[in-house]
Amino acid sequence: MNQYIKNTIDLIYDMYRTQPEFVQAVEEFLFSIEPAIAKHPEYEKNDLLMRLVIPERLFKFRVVWTDDQGKAHTNTGYRCQFNGAIGPYKGGLRFQKNVNESIIKFLAFEQTFKNALTGLPIGGGKGGSDFDPAGKSEAEIMRFCQSYMTALYRYIGADVDVPAGDMGVSQREIGFLFGQYRRLKGNFENGVLTGKGLSYGGSLIRPEATGYGAVYYLDEVLKHENDTLKGKRIGVSGYGNVAWGIMKKAAELDAKVIYMSGPDGYIRDPDGINTKEKLDYILQMRMNDPMHCKPYAEKFNCEFVEGKKFWGVKDVDIYMPAAVQNDVGFESAKLIGDSGVKYYIEVANMPTTNDALSYLRSCSHMIVAPSKAVNAGGVGVSALEMSQNSERLSWSKEEVDSQLHRMMKNIHEESMKAAETYGLGYDLVAGANIAGFTKVARAMIEQGLF
Ligand code: 2IT
């Protein structure tokens, strides 16, 4: 291995012993970009890798809120402004019980290169809180959002840092957050958040964008393999907003999602999760309970397998992990490799552990696509929302959708080319990392040392 990369990884292990997810993301990335580092000594001269790995800044703050009984609760809030070389920091907020500094930093790190891949001027950031939205009333969620924003509002802005949603933060939470921001600032600056409601500056297609983008990207992969989406059966893990977008677009393009899963187990619906009734039900189910997908099986009379994951089933053509980080570990990867399924398309941020990812990439019959490329359509449409806000206009559904489609084609194309440049063949994982890295690195070097 390249000595500069090896030294950097040793340093990272030393510095971030207590941040396993962050170390995991950095390590996977550094291994991937090795050919680019080896060819360009100027990166080492500029200490570029450490500058890429240490965030520009990280806010960590107390968030106090009261429940419906009037009792006070205290959570920790975060916002990591990882890299602003190519635009204002941009990335979602995650409200989930397990959120910590390691998770926020891995997400912000990934976001930096993902955002670069969109080709739009957005830097990388991420935030959130260990607040657990499960079982909270709407009023409790509103009070939490107001308190969170009160702590954060001084540090964000349309040209500074533009948060959006992630797990536990959907349009409803963005509304509460924006309301509080407006109340504190006294200005109508709706470019400060994306994923907003349409009534105050949201963009059409933003709720669907991550899932639609993933299917557009998948379509490019299939075309490269002289294959087509038509008739394909897909296994998607998760049943959140992203999985929903995949199901919707797959149905439109004559493919069908036949598996989905939740923390409680998985669903098999051989007819496809593809009617309006089913898709609407999923959104509702997710709103009511992010922990159980079993009600779908009861409602639509299909199979539910409790406490298990469906990795390894043979009656799909494509696997799309779209739930959460580290959903697919080494044992699951072996099952997937053995299943004979050709396409493994990551969708959630870092859904695969590093050993599992290496294993899948080593299976010669498989094509593996990385999440930071596949899910970039979400943040890409967020950047389009920012453009619409600054123009004080809204674009039609068709306009946004066609820009999203073009963006996903470009990301696939650029990743492919970056891999080819370094003689790596059709390696979408290395290609996405190298393409994202090259853009951020150039902007950092041109802006001098800091
Ligand atoms: O992981 C992601 O890219 C997001 N949660 C969306 C971020 C955004 O700013 O739209």
Side-chain angles (χ1 to χ4, degrees), residues 362-420:
S362 75
C363 294
S364 56
H365 67 283
M366 290 194 77
I367 297 209
V368 178
S371 57
K372 61 167 78 67
V374 178
N375 74 27
V379 74
V381 170
S382 275
L384 302 180
E385 182 172 333
M386 290 162 69
S387 297
Q388 294 169 74
N389 295 154
S390 72
E391 286 184 350
R392 299 185 186 275
L393 286 175
S394 8
W395 303 343
S396 69
K397 212 154 73 180
E398 291 72 26
E399 175 65 26
V400 177
D401 196 27
S402 79
Q403 290 213 38
L404 169 63
H405 201 158
R406 207 172 325 134
M407 196 185 310
M408 299 315 296
K409 274 181 178 225
N410 282 339
I411 293 173
H412 174 263
E413 177 87 13
E414 277 190 23
S415 304
M416 202 166 81
K417 284 196 175 141
E420 279 166 9

Side-chain angles (χ1 to χ4, degrees), residues 35 40 79 107 122 165 175 180 190 193 198 211 246 289 321 325 391 423 438:
H40 295 275
R79 183 71 185 170
L107 289 164
I122 40 178
Q180 185 70 358
N190 64 0
L193 291 171
L198 291 175
I246 294 172
D289 180 355
Q325 67 271 7
E391 286 184 350
T438 308

